[in-house]
Amino acid sequence: MAVLEIDDDTALVAPVAKRRKLGGLFLCAVAWILLIGLAAVFAAFLPIASPTDMDMLGKRAPPSAAHWLGTDSLGRDMLSRLIYGARVSLTVGLLSSVIGVTVGGALGMLAGYFRGRLETFTVGGVDVLLAFPPLVFLLAVLAYLGQTVLNITLVIGVLSIPAFTRVARAVTLSLSEREFVVAARALGATHSRILLRELLPNVSLPLVAFFLLGVAVTIVVEGALSFLGLGVPPPAPSWGSMIAEGRESLDIAPWLAFLPAGTMFITVLAFNIVGDTLRALTDPRPGAL
């Protein structure tokens, strides 16, 4: 792989990674992501109440042994709704970023390597997509196709393609004339081999870091859509819709809004910390540390 073949002056990862140690904050962020992810995946097997079962006699109950985080304005268990709401946020955040990094990364690499008309066409298409108001695009598509997790994921994924395309193109441009690529061409390597064996391992490292940052942004976007009533329809729980429902009870039951808001905040912060740390690890510039 190109990361291991190039010398110390041009290596993208190894020298920097050796000089930097992962701190406790990074490990705490990883632990939180794993905790919230595992809880969302195995929510059906956890000993928690149904997120849609209502108890009108137990509305806005404070935290107790029966309901560890209390109940909402309809008597539904807050802990259960937080865990099931994580399914929506993480599904949209991860899958839409996967769409962005897959399509955008491929387009950016091809445009940065082949240049010419392909680059002009790709950059022009990216600029057009960036110029179109994203909120208008979201409203139009969701109003036509419906407010489902799949549709929200696809729309946000399409909107994330330009950012990943620009990152992949910029990294590919900086690498396409490096010594290991020139040497591969001199040895008669095909374009596909250069792209897959020489460039992809190096381009993928910054893209992974940017992917995690993209997940954090997408979680916020999904929460904002749900807060505005454009996310998954009720009674399916979502962090954004829980915040919207809880704002009506801030004076008598503030935890209804603070719990989902705090959970979203910690999750987004964790992804930002992990993504920023990986970005610093994959940045060869001394100032990146």
Side-chain angles (χ1 to χ4, degrees), residues 62-198:
S64 62
H67 302 284
W68 289 4
L69 297 181
T71 59
D72 66 3
S73 57
L74 295 177
R76 297 171 295 191
D77 186 76
M78 284 294 292
L79 175 61
S80 177
R81 290 182 65 78
L82 282 175
I83 292 176
Y84 278 88
R87 281 186 166 185
V88 176
S89 296
L90 294 180
T91 298
V92 174
L94 291 172
L95 293 185
S96 60
S97 296
V98 167
I99 295 173
V101 73
T102 302
V103 179
L107 288 175
M109 285 186 62
L110 293 174
Y113 179 75
F114 289 108
R115 309 292 298 274
R117 292 183 178 179
L118 177 61
E119 182 182 29
T120 302
F121 178 79
T122 302
V123 173
V126 166
D127 290 340
V128 170
L129 193 56
L130 287 174
F132 197 84
L135 183 58
V136 175
F137 184 75
L138 281 167
L139 291 173
V141 175
L142 293 180
Y144 180 74
L145 297 179
Q147 299 170 210
T148 65
V149 174
L150 177 60
N151 293 337
I152 295 172
T153 300
L154 291 176
V155 174
I156 298 179
V158 171
L159 291 175
S160 68
I161 289 176
F164 287 100
T165 302
R166 286 189 166 187
V167 172
R169 173 177 169 270
V171 177
T172 304
L173 285 173
S174 66
L175 296 174
S176 58
E177 299 301 328
R178 298 289 284 271
E179 292 82 358
F180 62 94
V181 177
V182 174
R185 289 198 189 101
L187 293 174
T190 61
H191 293 311
S192 60
R193 179 180 176 85
I194 293 175
L195 285 168
L196 296 177
R197 297 292 300 274
E198 306 296 335

Side-chain angles (χ1 to χ4, degrees), residues 22-39:
L22 301 178
L25 187 61
F26 174 83
L27 297 179
C28 290
V30 172
W32 174 261
I33 292 173
L34 290 176
L35 175 63
I36 201 73
L38 291 174

Side-chain angles (χ1 to χ4, degrees), residues 241-256:
S241 61
M242 292 175 67
I243 297 173
E245 294 169 359
R247 67 176 177 174
E248 301 176 357
S249 307
L250 286 176
D251 53 341
I252 57 177
W255 63 85
L256 298 185

